[in-house]
Amino acid sequence: MNLIRIHRPQLSRRRFLQISGLSGTSFLLGGCGTPLFEDVVGKLSEPLNEKVEAFILNSQKPVPEFSYNEIQPEALIINSFRHTPVIDQAKYRLIVNGEVNNPLSLSLTEIHSLPLTSMIIRHVCVEGWAAIVQWGGVRLQDIVALAQPKANVRYVYFQSADGYYSSWDIASSLHPQTLLAYQKNGESLPVQNGAPLRLASPIKLGYKQSKWITEITLVSQLSRFRGYWEDQGYEWFAGL
Ligand SMILES: Nc1nc2c(c(=O)[nH]1)N[C@H]1C(S)=C(S)[C@@H](COP(=O)(O)O)O[C@H]1N2
Ligand SMILES: [Mo]
């Protein structure tokens, strides 16, 4: 599995706080288990902490993963509704906004400094194909925690650089295997597969796994737009 453990220098927590503009503020989850989030005293009210932590603790059981030799490198078919967008990685920012106390604008350097999770799961497209893939990236729950969601957050919108969009329920978004991935099969995520950042999760169908994500918006209610395919009649929850 050495292939998958891509080494990179880690930013210190202090440095991360500085570049994220988070100095002097606090993270929502004092104890979500990563060094970055450890020992940060929450300044938010206990009920809010408990509510979002309960989502994480109650979120579905981890889905069993596959082993390295089960990866099917040729099976993942590029499936894009439009041309591949051009993204300047140096200028790229992931915007996190909506019903949050701490809106974020994160560079790729900042995102790559967060704890890396690797998983080997099956990607299932509704069009009748599937592929066992390794994805590496940051847990969406870590990004959501940094943004300090308000207690009424129930859904998450994902906007992509190609005009694609989708929305998820908050529980699925906070599942420990729901990642914002930047690696595929041990290498940097190829542009056609959604670089610099895409969703990857074993709990939802392929059309929920947005590629080229630029903006994540936490909301209390869905609008009449729920997703590119969802708005054309495909199931919204699309659970596996
Ligand atoms: N931005 C964006 N994300 C997208 C799509 C798309 O067209 N645009 N297609 C979806 C569908 S239907 C599938 S099956 C997967 C395919 O991912 P891949 O192209 O990396 O195999 O991406 C999903 N995410
Ligand atoms: Mo798909």
Side-chain angles (χ1 to χ4, degrees):
M1 297 291 280
N2 281 339
L3 188 61
I4 284 161
R5 293 258 152 246
I6 292 177
H7 175 79
R8 61 167 54 84
Q10 293 278 320
L11 288 178
S12 71
R13 186 168 67 86
R14 179 182 299 273
R15 179 74 189 121
F16 178 80
L17 294 177
Q18 283 168 356
I19 56 187
S20 308
L22 297 176
S23 309
T25 68
S26 62
F27 297 125
L28 177 58
L29 302 173
C32 74
T34 65
L36 185 67
F37 297 94
E38 241 164 46
D39 71 43
V40 180
V41 183
K43 72 174 179 187
L44 296 165
S45 64
E46 278 301 310
L48 176 53
N49 272 286
E50 282 167 18
K51 188 160 193 256
V52 177
E53 285 191 34
F55 268 132
I56 290 175
L57 296 174
N58 294 338
S59 59
Q60 304 91 317
K61 276 202 225 139
V63 176
E65 296 183 13
F66 294 85
S67 62
Y68 186 74
N69 55 19
E70 291 174 291
I71 293 173
Q72 300 167 314
E74 308 303 324
L76 187 71
I77 297 168
I78 304 290
N79 198 351
S80 304
F81 87 115
R82 248 181 215 171
H83 59 272
T84 296
V86 178
I87 297 176
D88 181 341
Q89 304 230 353
K91 290 194 189 133
Y92 173 86
R93 291 291 181 281
L94 174 67
I95 303 297
V96 186
N97 58 19
E99 296 284 319
V100 297
N101 291 313
N102 187 41
L104 304 170
S105 169
L106 299 173
S107 68
L108 287 174
T109 308
E110 290 168 318
I111 290 163
H112 294 165
S113 76
L114 291 165
L116 170 65
T117 298
S118 173
M119 64 183 183
I120 300 172
I121 60 150
R122 180 179 274 125
H123 175 103
V124 182
C125 177
V126 75
E127 292 177 317
W129 56 270
I132 296 172
V133 187
Q134 180 269 341
W135 303 106
V138 56
R139 287 189 168 127
L140 180 58
Q141 67 171 233
D142 287 356
I143 301 282
V144 169
L146 282 172
Q148 300 178 2
K150 295 182 180 169
N152 58 351
V153 165
R154 289 178 60 201
Y155 305 100
V156 184
Y157 272 94
F158 301 94
Q159 187 64 50
S160 298
D162 61 343
Y164 198 81
Y165 59 100
S166 188
S167 56
W168 287 43
D169 59 290
I170 188 72
S172 299
S173 307
L174 298 177
H175 188 283
Q177 289 158 298
T178 297
L179 304 185
L180 290 172
Y182 51 85
Q183 295 174 358
K184 187 198 92 177
N185 296 340
E187 295 174 344
S188 291
L189 184 66
V191 173
Q192 286 177 311
N193 295 111
L197 217 53
R198 71 167 294 156
L199 275 170
S201 176
I203 63 171
K204 287 203 189 279
L205 278 167
Y207 62 84
K208 303 300 281 190
Q209 323 272 338
S210 294
K211 305 189 281 189
W212 310 293
I213 293 177
T214 55
E215 188 173 345
I216 297 176
T217 306
L218 285 76
V219 297
S220 55
Q221 285 190 312
L222 291 176
S223 75
R224 70 188 176 89
F225 301 105
R226 297 180 308 153
Y228 177 77
W229 290 115
E230 295 89 326
D231 292 343
Q232 297 174 56
Y234 284 79
E235 198 204 339
W236 173 72
F237 192 80
L240 282 180

Coordinates of all heavy atoms in Angstrom, one line a residue, residues 52-86:
V52 N -24.3 18.1 15.9 CA -23.6 17.6 14.8 C -22.7 16.4 15.1 O -22.5 15.5 14.3 CB -22.7 18.8 14.3 CG1 -21.8 18.4 13.1 CG2 -23.6 19.9 13.8
E53 N -22.2 16.3 16.4 CA -21.5 15.1 16.7 C -22.4 13.9 16.7 O -22.0 12.8 16.3 CB -20.8 15.3 18.1 CG -19.6 16.2 18.0 CD -18.8 16.2 19.3 OE1 -18.7 15.1 19.9 OE2 -18.2 17.2 19.6
A54 N -23.7 14.1 17.1 CA -24.6 13.0 17.0 C -24.8 12.5 15.6 O -24.8 11.3 15.3 CB -25.9 13.4 17.6
F55 N -24.8 13.4 14.6 CA -24.9 13.0 13.2 C -23.7 12.1 12.8 O -23.9 11.1 12.2 CB -24.8 14.3 12.3 CG -26.2 14.9 12.0 CD1 -26.4 16.2 12.1 CD2 -27.2 14.1 11.5 CE1 -27.6 16.8 11.8 CE2 -28.4 14.6 11.1 CZ -28.6 16.0 11.3
I56 N -22.6 12.5 13.3 CA -21.4 11.8 12.9 C -21.4 10.4 13.6 O -21.1 9.4 13.0 CB -20.1 12.6 13.3 CG1 -20.0 13.8 12.3 CG2 -18.9 11.7 13.2 CD1 -18.8 14.7 12.6
L57 N -21.8 10.4 14.9 CA -21.7 9.1 15.6 C -22.8 8.2 15.1 O -22.7 7.0 15.1 CB -21.9 9.4 17.1 CG -20.7 10.1 17.7 CD1 -21.0 10.5 19.2 CD2 -19.4 9.3 17.6
N58 N -24.0 8.8 14.7 CA -25.1 7.9 14.2 C -25.0 7.6 12.8 O -25.8 6.9 12.3 CB -26.4 8.7 14.5 CG -26.7 8.8 15.9 OD1 -26.2 8.1 16.8 ND2 -27.6 9.8 16.3
S59 N -24.0 8.2 12.1 CA -24.0 8.0 10.7 C -23.7 6.5 10.4 O -23.2 5.8 11.3 CB -22.9 8.8 10.0 OG -21.7 8.6 10.6
Q60 N -24.1 6.1 9.2 CA -24.1 4.6 8.9 C -22.8 4.0 9.2 O -21.8 4.6 9.2 CB -24.4 4.5 7.4 CG -25.7 5.1 7.0 CD -25.5 6.5 6.5 OE1 -24.7 7.3 7.1 NE2 -26.1 6.9 5.4
K61 N -22.9 2.7 9.5 CA -21.7 1.9 9.7 C -20.7 2.0 8.5 O -21.2 2.1 7.4 CB -22.1 0.4 9.9 CG -22.5 0.1 11.3 CD -22.3 -1.5 11.5 CE -23.5 -2.1 12.2 NZ -23.9 -3.4 11.6
P62 N -19.4 1.9 8.8 CA -18.5 1.9 7.7 C -18.8 0.8 6.7 O -19.1 -0.3 7.1 CB -17.1 1.7 8.3 CG -17.3 2.0 9.7 CD -18.7 1.8 10.1
V63 N -18.7 1.1 5.4 CA -19.0 0.1 4.3 C -17.7 -0.7 4.2 O -16.6 -0.1 4.1 CB -19.3 0.8 3.0 CG1 -19.4 -0.2 1.9 CG2 -20.6 1.6 3.2
P64 N -17.7 -2.1 4.1 CA -16.5 -2.8 4.0 C -15.7 -2.4 2.7 O -16.4 -2.2 1.7 CB -17.0 -4.3 3.9 CG -18.4 -4.3 4.5 CD -18.9 -2.9 4.2
E65 N -14.4 -2.4 2.8 CA -13.6 -2.0 1.7 C -13.0 -3.1 1.0 O -13.0 -4.3 1.5 CB -12.6 -0.9 2.2 CG -13.3 0.3 2.7 CD -12.4 1.5 3.1 OE1 -11.2 1.4 2.8 OE2 -12.9 2.4 3.8
F66 N -12.4 -2.9 -0.2 CA -11.8 -4.0 -0.9 C -10.3 -3.9 -0.7 O -9.7 -3.0 -0.1 CB -12.1 -3.7 -2.4 CG -13.5 -3.9 -2.8 CD1 -14.4 -2.9 -2.6 CD2 -14.0 -5.2 -3.2 CE1 -15.8 -3.0 -2.9 CE2 -15.3 -5.3 -3.5 CZ -16.2 -4.3 -3.3
S67 N -9.6 -4.9 -1.2 CA -8.1 -4.9 -1.0 C -7.5 -4.4 -2.3 O -8.1 -4.3 -3.3 CB -7.6 -6.3 -0.7 OG -7.9 -7.2 -1.8
Y68 N -6.2 -4.1 -2.1 CA -5.4 -3.4 -3.2 C -5.5 -4.2 -4.5 O -5.6 -3.6 -5.6 CB -4.0 -3.2 -2.7 CG -3.2 -2.4 -3.7 CD1 -3.4 -1.0 -3.8 CD2 -2.2 -3.0 -4.5 CE1 -2.7 -0.2 -4.7 CE2 -1.5 -2.2 -5.4 CZ -1.7 -0.9 -5.5 OH -1.0 -0.1 -6.4
N69 N -5.4 -5.5 -4.4 CA -5.3 -6.3 -5.7 C -6.7 -6.4 -6.3 O -6.8 -7.0 -7.4 CB -4.6 -7.6 -5.5 CG -5.2 -8.4 -4.3 OD1 -6.4 -8.2 -4.0 ND2 -4.5 -9.4 -3.8
E70 N -7.7 -5.9 -5.7 CA -9.0 -6.0 -6.3 C -9.4 -4.7 -7.1 O -10.4 -4.6 -7.8 CB -10.1 -6.2 -5.2 CG -10.1 -7.5 -4.6 CD -11.0 -7.7 -3.4 OE1 -10.8 -7.1 -2.4 OE2 -12.0 -8.4 -3.6
I71 N -8.5 -3.7 -7.1 CA -8.7 -2.5 -7.8 C -8.8 -2.8 -9.3 O -8.1 -3.6 -9.8 CB -7.6 -1.5 -7.6 CG1 -7.6 -1.0 -6.1 CG2 -7.6 -0.3 -8.5 CD1 -6.4 -0.1 -5.7
Q72 N -9.8 -2.2 -10.0 CA -10.0 -2.4 -11.4 C -9.7 -1.1 -12.2 O -10.6 -0.3 -12.5 CB -11.5 -2.8 -11.6 CG -11.8 -4.1 -10.9 CD -13.3 -4.3 -10.8 OE1 -14.1 -3.4 -10.6 NE2 -13.7 -5.6 -11.1
P73 N -8.4 -0.9 -12.5 CA -8.0 0.4 -13.0 C -8.7 0.8 -14.4 O -8.8 2.0 -14.6 CB -6.5 0.3 -13.2 CG -6.1 -1.1 -12.7 CD -7.3 -1.9 -12.4
E74 N -9.0 -0.2 -15.1 CA -9.6 0.1 -16.4 C -11.1 0.2 -16.4 O -11.8 0.7 -17.4 CB -9.3 -1.0 -17.5 CG -7.8 -1.4 -17.6 CD -6.9 -0.2 -17.9 OE1 -7.4 0.7 -18.7 OE2 -5.8 -0.1 -17.3
A75 N -11.7 -0.1 -15.3 CA -13.2 -0.2 -15.2 C -13.9 1.1 -15.0 O -15.1 1.2 -15.4 CB -13.6 -1.2 -14.2
L76 N -13.2 2.1 -14.5 CA -13.9 3.4 -14.2 C -14.0 4.2 -15.5 O -13.0 4.6 -16.0 CB -13.1 4.2 -13.1 CG -13.8 5.5 -12.7 CD1 -15.0 5.2 -11.8 CD2 -12.8 6.3 -11.9
I77 N -15.2 4.2 -16.0 CA -15.4 4.9 -17.3 C -15.6 6.4 -17.0 O -16.4 6.8 -16.1 CB -16.7 4.3 -18.0 CG1 -16.5 2.8 -18.3 CG2 -17.1 5.1 -19.2 CD1 -17.7 2.1 -18.7
I78 N -14.9 7.2 -17.8 CA -15.1 8.7 -17.7 C -16.6 9.0 -18.1 O -17.0 8.6 -19.2 CB -14.2 9.5 -18.6 CG1 -12.7 9.1 -18.4 CG2 -14.4 11.0 -18.5 CD1 -12.2 9.6 -17.1
N79 N -17.3 9.6 -17.2 CA -18.7 9.9 -17.5 C -19.0 11.4 -17.1 O -19.2 11.7 -16.0 CB -19.6 9.0 -16.7 CG -21.0 9.0 -17.2 OD1 -21.4 9.7 -18.1 ND2 -21.8 8.1 -16.7
S80 N -18.9 12.3 -18.1 CA -19.0 13.7 -17.9 C -20.1 14.2 -18.9 O -20.1 13.8 -20.0 CB -17.7 14.4 -18.3 OG -16.7 13.9 -17.5
F81 N -21.0 15.0 -18.4 CA -22.2 15.4 -19.2 C -21.7 16.5 -20.1 O -22.5 16.8 -21.1 CB -23.3 15.9 -18.3 CG -23.3 17.3 -17.8 CD1 -24.3 18.2 -18.3 CD2 -22.3 17.8 -17.0 CE1 -24.3 19.5 -17.8 CE2 -22.3 19.1 -16.5 CZ -23.3 20.0 -17.0
R82 N -20.6 17.1 -19.9 CA -20.0 18.2 -20.8 C -18.5 18.0 -20.9 O -18.0 17.1 -20.3 CB -20.3 19.5 -20.0 CG -21.2 20.4 -20.6 CD -21.3 21.6 -19.8 NE -22.7 22.1 -19.8 CZ -23.2 23.1 -19.1 NH1 -22.4 23.7 -18.2 NH2 -24.4 23.4 -19.2
H83 N -17.9 19.0 -21.6 CA -16.4 19.0 -21.7 C -15.8 19.1 -20.3 O -16.4 19.6 -19.3 CB -16.0 20.1 -22.6 CG -16.5 21.5 -22.0 ND1 -17.7 22.0 -22.3 CD2 -15.9 22.3 -21.2 CE1 -17.8 23.2 -21.7 NE2 -16.7 23.4 -21.0
T84 N -14.6 18.7 -20.2 CA -13.8 18.8 -19.0 C -13.4 20.3 -18.7 O -12.8 20.9 -19.6 CB -12.5 18.0 -19.1 OG1 -12.9 16.6 -19.2 CG2 -11.6 18.1 -17.8
P85 N -13.7 20.9 -17.6 CA -13.4 22.3 -17.3 C -11.9 22.5 -17.1 O -11.2 21.6 -16.6 CB -14.2 22.6 -16.1 CG -14.4 21.3 -15.4 CD -14.4 20.3 -16.4
V86 N -11.5 23.7 -17.4 CA -10.1 24.1 -17.2 C -10.0 24.8 -15.9 O -10.7 25.8 -15.6 CB -9.5 25.0 -18.3 CG1 -8.1 25.4 -18.0 CG2 -9.6 24.3 -19.7

